[in-house]
Amino acid sequence: MKEIIASLDELDKVVSYLDETLPSDAIVFLRGDLAAGKTTLTQAIAKAKGIEGEVTSPTFSLQQCYGAKDGSSLFHYDLYRLDHEEFMQMGLFEEFEKQGWHMVEWGSDALKAFLEGVGYNVATIDIEPNENSRIYRINV
């Protein structure tokens, strides 16, 4: 586990570590309370990948897909209102087959265990507020 303490202006430290550590295809569970900075981290990753345009939380659409200038893709999921069974019934599981980084907010332990059980490498980033910064605990 890697722990990085970073303010909003220092998010590039977290993004750089992820770039060096994560494979080109990765599923990353973002964990933290409401307003912990899950979407903010995804926005910083998108910016570093050269993705233009607004990156927002896919609260109502469940998934947003972004194409980067280098040809890679970034997928962003918000599963706050969705349990594991609903996720499977909607066929969203198949989305993880697509090339790119998959950033998952509010993913359940059941979904994580399922993905690991079928052979996916799942990283987790726990985000915790810390005065004017955040603590990012990264398990790859």
Side-chain angles (χ1 to χ4, degrees), residues 7-52:
S7 68
L8 285 176
D9 294 337
E10 301 168 322
L11 271 178
D12 58 322
K13 292 193 302 190
V14 178
V15 175
S16 293
Y17 177 77
L18 295 175
D19 260 345
E20 295 165 11
T21 311
L22 291 178
S24 59
D25 294 323
I27 300 172
V28 181
F29 275 50
L30 301 171
R31 297 187 168 171
D33 293 334
L34 203 58
K38 298 178 291 294
T39 298
T40 302
L41 177 58
T42 302
Q43 290 168 334
I45 291 167
K47 183 178 177 188
K49 288 183 172 288
I51 294 169
E52 295 177 0

Side-chain angles (χ1 to χ4, degrees), residues 40-115:
T40 302
L41 177 58
T42 302
Q43 290 168 334
I45 291 167
K47 183 178 177 188
K49 288 183 172 288
I51 294 169
E52 295 177 0
E54 190 176 12
V55 174
T56 59
S57 180
T59 303
F60 298 105
S61 60
L62 302 179
Q63 178 197 53
Q64 300 278 18
C65 307
Y66 304 98
K69 287 184 178 178
D70 66 1
S72 67
S73 295
L74 180 68
F75 301 89
H76 186 196
Y77 306 82
D78 184 330
L79 306 182
Y80 184 69
R81 295 178 179 82
L82 208 61
D83 67 26
H84 177 66
E85 292 302 317
E86 290 173 303
F87 183 85
M88 299 306 283
Q89 289 170 357
M90 294 176 78
L92 284 171
F93 164 67
E94 296 160 7
E95 292 295 303
F96 293 125
E97 292 292 320
K98 294 180 179 175
Q99 299 285 311
W101 283 8
H102 297 262
M103 311 305 289
V104 181
E105 295 186 31
W106 303 108
S108 69
D109 290 337
L111 177 59
K112 184 177 185 286
F114 172 80
L115 292 171

Side-chain angles (χ1 to χ4, degrees), residues 1-6 13-14 17 126 128 130 134-139:
M1 186 200 34
K2 172 80 169 173
E3 186 173 288
I4 301 172
I5 298 174
K13 292 193 302 190
V14 178
Y17 177 77
D126 291 288
E128 182 184 318
N130 178 42
R134 301 278 189 270
I135 301 170
Y136 298 87
R137 290 184 183 92
I138 304 166
N139 287 302

